[in-house]
Amino acid sequence: MTTLKNRITRLNRIDTFSPYFFLPFFLLLYFFVSLFDFHRFELFRVNTSIWPAVFLAVVSYYIGVYIVDKKGWMFPSFGLKSIRGYTIYFIWLLALIGAVAYFTMLTGGNASFTDESVRVDLDPKLNFLSQLLWFSGVLLLSLQVIRDKNLTKWKMVMYASMYGVLMIMFLLMGYRVPIVIMLFTALVIIHYVIKRIKLSWLLTTLFIVAVFFSLLGFLRAISEDTSNPFNNRNQPDVELTEEQAENLLTVEQLVNQTPRWVRGLNGQSVTGHIVLSKIMEYTKEEGYLGGELHAGIISTILPGEQTSPRMKVTEVVNSLSIEEGKYISRPNRTTTPTYIGQLFLDGGYILVVIGFMFFGVIISLLYNQVKKMGFRTYQSVAYAFVMSIFTVSLHTGLLDLLFYLMIGFVILTAAINNVKPNAVH
């Protein structure tokens, strides 16, 4: 018992959210949890090992972090010092635009957290603009917490309640990613501004959050309106040999021996593992997409019908499983490729190295600004937000134009406000 306590004490001394720890720890934990697949690897014939790509990603990330940390580099002000101090007004403007778009959608009846098909009915332009509400809300609330020098328990409850209302508002739109980003951002702000979060507490929190969103996904699955074409669960209409059909049925029976809600606890990470493996298998046979996936980030906003990057991932992974009588992802659904899969599909190991070095460099540049300016500054908000998006993107991939714009805005405003506390007003 004493030995265990000593180990927990040593673990709790780690700066949980430092660039050297949190993101690579989360990445390795994500894929470690995916190893408890309950026969799903066998069901989808996972034959290609993902671990060379995973370990290369971690090493590349550390190289980026280490170089920037040792050099002490930070983002320059980009020659925009003249607008320093006006950041808060830009954020409020974004909040206003987002609020108008959000409530316009809400009055149109587009709200449901139990049915993912609600996304199909959302107006693309209004949905895009409405995301500015949670983005600006996170920044404004975080700044208020940082600048409040008399942070009483009552005020913390009030801020937490406002944050909770904002999260529920976007849970109604059928998207979980903004909620997870808000949660991670809040944790980082709490860690650096209010009270240090020990690693043991973080692991407990991550477990609770993971269970909550897994059960939410389970609730969605069992409450889907199957009469809606978007929720069609039919498998490929292909002819299997008697042996193939029997093998498929046997494996499905093995999978179903584990209760569905138990499989749902780590279903997201198992799916991420399967998709990454299938992407690597696909590139062996068909080659890399050569930038097509990343080009789709921009092309989806162009006029006419466009294939989104995640829909392209669905096509890729299903192309390897249709003949076996199974869809990895339903054809009318998008597929999250993981950030490693996103990079690997377009450019293999070389792009994985470049992409994760990019993550490391950006995170370390922001962290250096935090160390210079102090934790009760806008720099902490910027670091928390970008770290959160990068962490969530390890599962979803960084394939949303809006997230690139958000990251750019936060980095730019953090750079031009690279001054002592209370400069953002």
Side-chain angles (χ1 to χ4, degrees):
M1 183 64 69
T2 303
T3 303
L4 179 60
K5 287 182 178 180
N6 290 336
R7 289 178 179 175
I8 293 175
T9 301
R10 286 197 296 270
L11 283 174
N12 287 335
R13 291 173 184 166
I14 298 172
D15 182 0
T16 307
F17 294 101
S18 78
Y20 283 104
F21 182 76
F22 184 70
L23 195 144
F25 170 77
F26 185 86
L27 175 63
L28 294 173
L29 179 64
Y30 174 86
F31 284 113
F32 171 75
V33 170
S34 74
L35 294 177
F36 301 92
D37 65 295
F38 305 111
H39 299 284
R40 281 172 286 183
F41 289 174
E42 185 179 355
L43 178 64
F44 294 107
R45 297 180 181 271
V46 175
N47 301 315
T48 303
S49 174
I50 66 168
W51 295 109
V54 171
F55 290 131
L56 182 63
V58 172
V59 170
S60 302
Y61 169 82
Y62 273 122
I63 291 173
V65 169
Y66 179 80
I67 292 174
V68 173
D69 181 33
K70 292 304 176 183
K71 295 290 184 180
W73 292 336
M74 296 183 294
F75 283 105
S77 62
F78 302 103
L80 297 173
K81 292 181 180 180
S82 59
I83 63 173
R84 179 180 293 162
Y86 293 96
T87 298
I88 196 71
Y89 302 114
F90 286 116
I91 299 175
W92 275 110
L93 177 61
L94 295 178
L96 177 61
I97 295 171
V100 171
Y102 176 86
F103 287 107
T104 300
M105 284 199 307
L106 197 64
T107 54
N110 294 320
S112 173
F113 71 90
T114 59
D115 192 346
E116 198 172 358
S117 65
V118 70
R119 302 183 192 180
V120 178
D121 300 321
L122 296 177
D123 181 285
K125 294 184 179 65
L126 288 176
N127 185 36
F128 183 90
L129 294 175
S130 70
Q131 305 297 313
L132 298 177
L133 179 57
W134 69 261
F135 169 62
S136 56
V138 168
L139 298 184
L140 291 170
L141 282 170
S142 299
L143 277 172
Q144 185 59 37
V145 170
I146 284 175
R147 294 166 57 187
D148 195 332
K149 296 181 179 179
N150 183 28
L151 197 59
T152 62
K153 289 184 178 180
W154 164 245
K155 286 184 178 180
M156 285 191 287
V157 170
M158 180 182 66
Y159 294 143
S161 299
M162 294 171 66
Y163 211 80
V165 169
L166 188 64
M167 291 169 64
I168 293 172
M169 287 171 62
F170 281 90
L171 194 60
L172 292 175
M173 293 295 103
Y175 284 93
R176 288 172 288 182
V177 172
I179 313 303
V180 179
I181 292 174
M182 283 191 270
L183 280 172
F184 276 131
T185 303
L187 287 174
V188 179
I189 294 297
I190 291 171
H191 176 76
Y192 285 124
V193 177
I194 299 176
K195 183 178 181 180
R196 182 185 176 92
I197 297 178
K198 298 177 180 179
L199 181 58
S200 55
W201 294 358
L202 175 66
L203 291 175
T204 303
T205 303
L206 288 178
F207 176 76
I208 293 172
V209 170
V211 169
F212 171 77
F213 283 104
S214 296
L215 292 179
L216 176 60
F218 175 70
L219 176 63
R220 278 180 171 178
I222 64 175
S223 61
E224 283 182 350
D225 177 10
T226 53
S227 64
N228 188 327
F230 184 79
N231 297 323
N232 190 325
R233 299 184 184 182
N234 293 337
Q235 294 300 320
D237 184 16
V238 295
E239 291 189 12
L240 300 176
T241 66
E242 185 176 341
E243 182 181 357
Q244 287 176 322
E246 185 177 342
N247 288 339
L248 180 59
L249 180 61
T250 300
V251 178
E252 286 179 341
Q253 289 173 341
L254 287 174
V255 171
N256 291 329
Q257 286 177 0
T258 304
R260 193 173 176 181
W261 70 269
V262 174
R263 285 180 275 142
L265 293 177
N266 69 338
Q268 295 294 325
S269 62
V270 172
T271 300
H273 189 132
I274 293 170
V275 170
L276 176 55
S277 178
K278 289 298 179 181
I279 284 173
M280 296 175 72
E281 182 182 342
Y282 175 89
T283 58
K284 289 179 182 178
E285 300 176 7
E286 304 294 336
Y288 307 118
L289 297 186
E292 179 183 342
L293 200 67
H294 288 81
I297 298 171
I298 303 296
S299 67
T300 50
I301 65 173
L302 298 178
E305 186 175 346
Q306 307 290 338
T307 301
S308 72
R310 292 189 180 90
M311 189 59 73
K312 180 63 179 179
V313 176
T314 298
E315 295 174 2
V316 166
V317 296
N318 280 345
S319 69
L320 298 174
S321 65
I322 288 177
E323 293 182 359
E324 299 166 358
K326 293 292 293 182
Y327 286 127
I328 293 176
S329 293
R330 283 180 272 184
N332 55 350
R333 298 290 182 99
T334 57
T335 302
T336 52
T338 75
Y339 187 56
I340 298 176
Q342 165 188 342
L343 297 168
F344 201 95
L345 186 55
D346 255 353
Y349 289 108
I350 293 177
L351 202 57
V352 170
V353 170
I354 294 172
F356 274 85
M357 283 189 68
F358 169 80
F359 265 20
V361 166
I362 296 298
I363 289 296
S364 197
L365 287 169
L366 287 170
Y367 193 67
N368 283 346
Q369 291 183 174
V370 173
K371 289 190 293 185
K372 178 184 176 183
M373 296 296 105
F375 292 114
R376 301 189 71 87
T377 62
Y378 183 69
Q379 317 305 321
S380 289
V381 180
Y383 175 72
F385 184 79
V386 175
M387 169 71 86
S388 299
I389 286 189
F390 282 179
T391 302
V392 173
S393 296
L394 295 177
H395 167 67
T396 63
L398 191 54
L399 292 168
D400 302 277
L401 177 61
L402 184 61
F403 284 167
Y404 283 96
L405 296 176
M406 288 177 176
I407 292 169
F409 178 86
V410 167
I411 288 175
L412 182 63
T413 50
I416 64 178
N417 286 286
N418 199 12
V419 293
K420 293 298 180 183
N422 300 323
V424 182
H425 53 78

